[in-house]
Amino acid sequence: MRRFMKYRKPEEQEAVGVAVKRTALLPVLILGMSLVMAGCGNEGGKAGDTGAENAVESESSDTAGKTESADDGGSVGTEAEGGESAGADSQETADASDASAKEMSVQEIYKSVEESVQLPSMVEGDDDFISNYYGIDPANLDSYVFASAEDATLATSVIIMKAKSEDAVGTLESSLNTVKDQKAAEMQGYIPEQYDIVADSSVKTEGLYVYLVIAEDAGDIESVISAAIK
């Protein structure tokens, strides 16, 4: 049997053709859109990856910068502390050296007196002399000079003693007052002018030093001693 196609009017035929064409192009359009979207996705992924990499690099740089800054700060602080410590040690050493340089021995002090003031011929007593005549225990002394005029008619005496400890200072002061009293007793009634010199004298103490000056120029001699032991 013969099939008969349905007759369509020209307007209908044209509409059907357009529909067929649209149906045929639809897969192509879908494929094109898929490719475009895939490309955009890849570009977006690359951009996202690049942004993430940049963020990681930036964070690493910041961390490294902070670490270097902290290390530099620690180094500077250590150097500063080391410099201050070295400076303090140097200052203490310098102060100790100055103190040692300024401190004079008892013999040096007595020599300064001899150079500053004219004294008569003097003799120095030893441990036995000061112990037997004046009861001074040498064990209490770090060093001393016990000088008296060789001429028995002169009361002139220069006695400088440095105690071993502060506890011994009082004992030495008492001993030198005994020396003064005995000198006064020797001159009283025999040589009045020498007695007056003894009477005007007095025992002085400065730190560990105890000294007694019996002389016409006692004030000048005491000034030399005081300046030397300060």
Side-chain angles (χ1 to χ4, degrees), residues 125-146 159-163 168-169 171-180 182 210 212:
D126 57 13
D127 290 357
D128 290 337
F129 177 79
I130 64 175
S131 177
N132 294 332
Y133 282 89
Y134 299 107
I136 299 174
D137 185 358
N140 290 327
L141 298 170
D142 176 80
S143 55
Y144 70 93
V145 170
F146 194 113
I159 306 169
I160 310 169
M161 295 184 169
K162 183 179 181 182
V169 171
T171 301
L172 293 177
E173 184 178 7
S174 177
S175 296
L176 291 193
N177 276 314
T178 300
V179 173
K180 175 186 172 181
Q182 289 191 14
V210 184
L212 170 64

Side-chain angles (χ1 to χ4, degrees), residues 48-160:
D49 293 342
T50 302
E53 291 175 0
N54 291 339
V56 172
E57 291 178 359
S58 176
E59 183 176 357
S60 299
S61 299
D62 291 342
T63 303
K66 291 178 180 179
T67 303
E68 291 177 0
S69 176
D71 291 342
D72 291 342
S75 300
V76 171
T78 302
E79 291 175 359
E81 291 175 359
E84 291 177 358
S85 178
D89 293 340
S90 300
Q91 185 62 39
E92 290 177 359
T93 302
D95 292 343
S97 299
D98 291 342
S100 299
K102 292 178 180 178
E103 185 176 349
M104 298 174 64
S105 68
V106 171
Q107 288 291 341
E108 288 174 334
I109 295 172
Y110 179 66
K111 185 176 180 180
S112 296
V113 170
E114 290 182 311
E115 293 173 350
S116 303
V117 179
Q118 187 174 359
L119 295 172
S121 179
M122 307 286 283
V123 293
E124 295 185 30
D126 57 13
D127 290 357
D128 290 337
F129 177 79
I130 64 175
S131 177
N132 294 332
Y133 282 89
Y134 299 107
I136 299 174
D137 185 358
N140 290 327
L141 298 170
D142 176 80
S143 55
Y144 70 93
V145 170
F146 194 113
S148 301
E150 187 176 10
D151 186 350
T153 62
L154 297 176
T156 305
S157 299
V158 178
I159 306 169
I160 310 169

Side-chain angles (χ1 to χ4, degrees), residues 36-49:
V36 171
M37 292 178 65
C40 292
N42 290 336
E43 290 179 358
K46 291 180 180 179
D49 293 342

Side-chain angles (χ1 to χ4, degrees), residues 25-47:
L25 290 174
L26 182 59
V28 176
L29 292 174
I30 293 172
L31 178 60
M33 291 178 65
S34 299
L35 292 175
V36 171
M37 292 178 65
C40 292
N42 290 336
E43 290 179 358
K46 291 180 180 179

Side-chain angles (χ1 to χ4, degrees), residues 209-221:
Y209 293 88
V210 184
Y211 55 96
L212 170 64
V213 177
I214 302 173
E216 291 183 359
D217 300 325
D220 295 335
I221 296 173

